[in-house]
Amino acid sequence: MSEAFEQRTRADELRDRLLTAVLIGEYLPGSRLPSERELAESLDVARETMRQALRMVTEAGLLEVRRGRGGGYFVTAARIDERSAAAQLLHRRLAEIEDAIDAGSRIQGAICEAAAERRTADDVRILEARLADFVAAASGREKQAADSRLHLAISDAAHIPALADAMLFLDRRVSLSAPQHPWGAIEDQAAMEERATRDHTELVRLIVAGEIAAAGAVARRHAMIDRDLIEQARKRAEATAVDLRGR
């Protein structure tokens, strides 16, 4: 197999990862992607291969390049689910994603159990502040960022770095933007954010109260939000594919 063919094949795989990231709301419209160099390093690929993948997604109309200071690749308002290939893409990656989410939910449960057992007074103060930030954050990108900060604070409160490392490894199998989580389509966000607020509030309460088993159970349930968002995206893409075939 030639080096050029291998590079194209890897670029196609990276294109699929980027398209999936847009589909499931890892990067919402208007979001700036990490730099080409950062993406290449985090995914352990050559910069030229990463550049090819980014070019393909840009040519599909889902990213735009802004020049100058503060520039880079930004997600457009275009909808990937207008293309029937979206359904095939999500179907292809579904088993891999679901496996990572299932494993991640178990590790997240262990992290929250450890946090409920080991949290300090400083941890409690930070967790309550991060929860308040999440509740107050505006819907969409601001709430997504606040969610990441809260989950990182929970990992810190567990005081077991190896668990945090394992969680990040699994998150990266699902999300290019890990530790940032998928946030779903715009039309799904209000219900998802309400659900996340309930889970976060209960989870912080249980960790602060030292209720170890209950904190783990809520954390495992909460991790399934990612799976549900991806399933919603898959169904929407499949419905669009049916509509396109019927035209």
Side-chain angles (χ1 to χ4, degrees):
M1 184 181 292
S2 71
E3 182 178 341
F5 181 79
E6 287 181 352
Q7 189 176 58
R8 283 198 303 273
T9 300
R10 185 66 175 125
D12 288 341
E13 293 173 0
L14 294 170
R15 175 204 58 201
D16 285 357
R17 289 291 307 271
L18 288 166
L19 292 177
T20 303
V22 175
L23 253 179
I24 65 179
E26 290 180 42
Y27 299 110
L28 300 173
S31 296
R32 180 183 181 277
L33 267 63
S35 71
E36 179 185 287
R37 177 184 58 79
E38 290 169 332
L39 284 169
E41 288 179 356
S42 68
L43 294 168
D44 193 26
V45 297
R47 285 188 65 173
E48 177 56 32
T49 308
M50 192 71 244
R51 186 176 299 124
Q52 287 182 32
L54 288 164
R55 186 183 305 124
M56 285 188 280
V57 180
T58 301
E59 290 171 352
L62 301 172
L63 296 176
E64 63 178 1
V65 181
R66 299 180 190 172
R67 305 298 180 185
R69 189 171 183 177
Y73 290 93
F74 289 79
V75 178
T76 69
R79 293 291 298 272
I80 179 65
D81 60 7
E82 292 173 357
R83 299 169 174 80
S84 60
Q88 298 173 18
L89 169 61
L90 274 184
H91 181 76
R92 217 165 43 236
R93 292 204 63 218
L94 197 59
E96 171 196 348
I97 290 171
E98 287 187 336
D99 179 67
I101 290 173
D102 180 56
S105 74
R106 297 170 191 272
I107 292 178
Q108 191 62 52
I111 287 172
C112 290
E113 288 172 357
E117 181 181 5
R118 295 167 172 240
R119 78 279 181 270
T120 65
D122 281 345
D123 292 328
V124 167
R125 176 182 55 79
I126 293 169
L127 286 171
E128 291 176 339
R130 294 291 179 269
L131 175 61
D133 290 345
F134 177 83
V135 172
S139 179
R141 284 188 288 160
E142 187 178 323
K143 227 172 186 66
Q144 186 183 39
D147 173 81
S148 294
R149 290 191 292 269
L150 175 56
H151 280 281
L152 287 172
I154 292 172
S155 289
D156 288 344
H159 298 285
I160 305 178
L163 280 176
D165 290 345
M167 189 71 245
L168 183 58
F169 171 80
L170 288 166
D171 279 346
R172 284 176 172 164
R173 289 184 59 191
V174 177
S175 174
L176 282 176
S177 55
Q180 190 164 278
H181 287 205
W183 217 244
I186 299 296
E187 52 265 51
D188 298 327
Q189 283 174 17
M192 183 276 296
E193 289 173 355
E194 182 179 347
R195 175 181 170 186
T197 298
R198 290 195 303 270
D199 285 355
H200 287 159
T201 301
E202 180 70 358
L203 190 53
V204 170
R205 184 189 70 79
L206 292 168
I207 290 172
V208 170
E211 298 190 28
I212 298 171
V218 171
R220 287 187 290 274
R221 183 190 72 206
H222 176 66
M224 291 298 104
I225 288 179
D226 287 357
R227 183 197 62 190
D228 294 344
L229 287 174
I230 292 164
E231 178 65 11
Q232 288 168 357
R234 184 188 64 80
K235 287 180 178 179
R236 184 175 291 108
E238 287 184 349
T240 302
V242 169
D243 289 344
L244 288 172
R245 286 196 296 269
R247 290 177 187 173

